[in-house]
Amino acid sequence: MRVDRIREFYLQNGKEMFDKASLLKQYRYKFRDKKLSKRLQEQFKAETLGSDRLRTLLLLVMRNASTDSPWPVSNNPRAKYNSRLSKDCNLDLPLWQLLRASTAAPTYFPPEAVRLGEKEFIFVDGGMTMYNNPAFQAFLMSTVEPFNLNWPAGEGELLVVSIGTGTSPHANADLKPGEMNLLYNASSIPSALMFAALNEQDFLCRVFGKCLAGEPLDQEVGDMVGTKGPVQPKLFSYLRYNAELTREGLASLGLNDIDPENVQQLDSVEYILDLQRVGRAVAAKKVTVEHFQGF
């Protein structure tokens, strides 16, 4: 799908797909998945992960709750579990169902049951794994021998472009130990772990890759543009584009009139126009043609 078609798909279907669950089910998840599943099936029909219509390599990261493990799956025909000689070949997985599983963010959408051969697995969003930012995993699967792609590494051979969905760190300088009860931990620990995973994967990309663009990771390491690492020359070139959806972050993009709370939530479908403004501002302020020279 072209980028403009993906944008059109979300603009046309976003509000409908975030379909509120009944009150009895909202203790499990906020939204029903029937309309989302229907739209994905209409778009991708009977296409599978191994479809000839996929003109590029595709990597999807999910969490297999049944096996309690991350499951990165790709359409790489040389991958171990993509052999057509196997009765449970990953390439036979329905593409719409994998996309649905990758959207199954806990508390937002119910998990997706996917049948592979004679077994059925329960999948949830891969953001609940250490690959919330899958950029470094994509580099590894492209170059490490067991994955059988064996792309050559090097600053001039590989360009990894990582595009974030926005971050919204909530620092609380007035937090007291007594406030960190069971309810506080239940609501804050998942997002804390997801943010830490995202940050660590981004950090690894800047350590082993030549960072050409990216916001500072923290006050100690900065943005790492032009810094050295344990490998010289580095193994790939790296671009990271993202937006901090806080009052300060939006102000730095010239968007003082946008309320941060309106664009921080996964289900901010009422504020699609504001989200588009954030995307355009990031593109205008942070993306340059020079970043892609040589590729």
Side-chain angles (χ1 to χ4, degrees):
M1 293 177 68
R2 291 169 54 93
V3 172
D4 56 356
R5 179 67 190 101
I6 295 174
R7 183 190 301 115
E8 180 185 357
F9 180 82
Y10 183 74
L11 291 175
Q12 290 178 346
N13 303 295
K15 291 184 179 180
E16 179 186 22
M17 290 187 297
F18 284 94
D19 184 26
K20 288 280 188 181
S22 65
L23 289 176
L24 290 176
K25 291 187 176 180
Q26 285 193 20
Y27 79 97
R28 294 172 56 199
Y29 47 83
K30 292 174 64 176
F31 303 103
R32 291 179 288 193
D33 64 325
K34 287 186 178 180
K35 291 183 178 179
L36 172 59
S37 296
K38 180 182 177 182
R39 289 290 176 251
L40 291 174
Q41 288 181 70
E42 289 173 348
Q43 180 64 46
F44 296 101
K45 298 181 173 60
E47 300 290 353
T48 64
L49 184 62
S51 170
D52 292 337
R53 295 183 63 193
L54 283 172
R55 298 168 62 186
T56 63
L57 286 170
L58 172 67
L59 168 65
L60 292 165
V61 181
M62 294 159 291
R63 178 178 178 269
N64 188 332
S66 301
T67 62
D68 193 24
S69 60
W71 265 42
V73 297
S74 77
N75 61 339
N76 169 18
R78 303 172 192 165
K80 179 177 180 179
Y81 294 103
N82 286 354
S83 171
R84 288 297 189 186
L85 300 177
S86 174
K87 63 181 180 181
D88 54 358
C89 173
N90 282 349
L91 295 178
D92 294 329
L93 290 169
L95 188 57
W96 78 264
Q97 204 168 23
L98 292 176
L99 295 172
R100 162 68 187 91
S102 71
T103 67
T107 75
Y108 283 94
F109 287 103
E112 180 73 10
V114 179
R115 178 161 292 280
L116 182 59
E118 298 177 354
K119 296 182 179 180
E120 186 174 80
F121 300 104
I122 306 299
F123 287 109
V124 296
D125 188 351
M128 300 305 295
T129 72
M130 286 305 295
Y131 310 114
N132 190 20
N133 174 356
F136 194 65
Q137 179 67 11
F139 161 71
L140 293 176
M141 292 186 74
S142 299
T143 56
V144 175
E145 186 175 353
F147 296 112
N148 295 316
L149 278 174
N150 301 319
W151 287 4
E155 295 176 5
E157 299 288 344
L158 282 172
L159 175 65
V160 177
V161 182
S162 175
I163 302 175
T165 57
T167 59
S168 52
H170 296 286
N172 185 356
D174 299 320
L175 182 66
K176 296 178 175 56
E179 297 173 354
M180 300 180 69
N181 50 41
L182 288 175
L183 184 61
Y184 172 89
N185 286 325
S187 62
S188 64
I189 285 178
S191 61
L193 292 175
M194 289 174 68
F195 181 74
L198 180 152
N199 219 48
E200 179 68 7
Q201 295 298 306
D202 191 1
F203 179 56
L204 289 172
C205 283
R206 301 185 196 213
V207 169
F208 293 97
K210 179 183 179 181
C211 185
L212 303 175
E215 294 297 304
L217 288 170
D218 58 45
Q219 294 182 357
E220 184 170 11
V221 302
D223 60 20
M224 298 184 68
V225 173
T227 61
K228 295 180 180 180
V231 177
Q232 292 293 337
K234 295 197 175 183
L235 301 176
F236 55 95
S237 293
Y238 179 64
L239 301 171
R240 172 67 174 174
Y241 301 123
N242 205 2
E244 185 174 296
L245 303 176
T246 61
R247 176 64 65 194
E248 295 77 12
L250 292 172
S252 72
L253 295 172
L255 302 174
N256 293 286
D257 59 313
I258 293 181
D259 185 342
E261 292 187 4
N262 292 343
V263 292
Q264 290 176 352
Q265 302 303 315
L266 178 66
D267 54 340
S268 295
V269 289
E270 296 297 327
Y271 300 97
I272 289 177
L273 294 180
D274 283 344
L275 288 166
Q276 287 184 300
R277 289 179 60 203
V278 173
R280 285 194 292 266
V282 170
K285 193 175 182 68
K286 301 182 180 182
V287 182
T288 69
V289 174
E290 288 72 28
H291 293 163
F292 299 87
Q293 285 184 347
F295 293 94

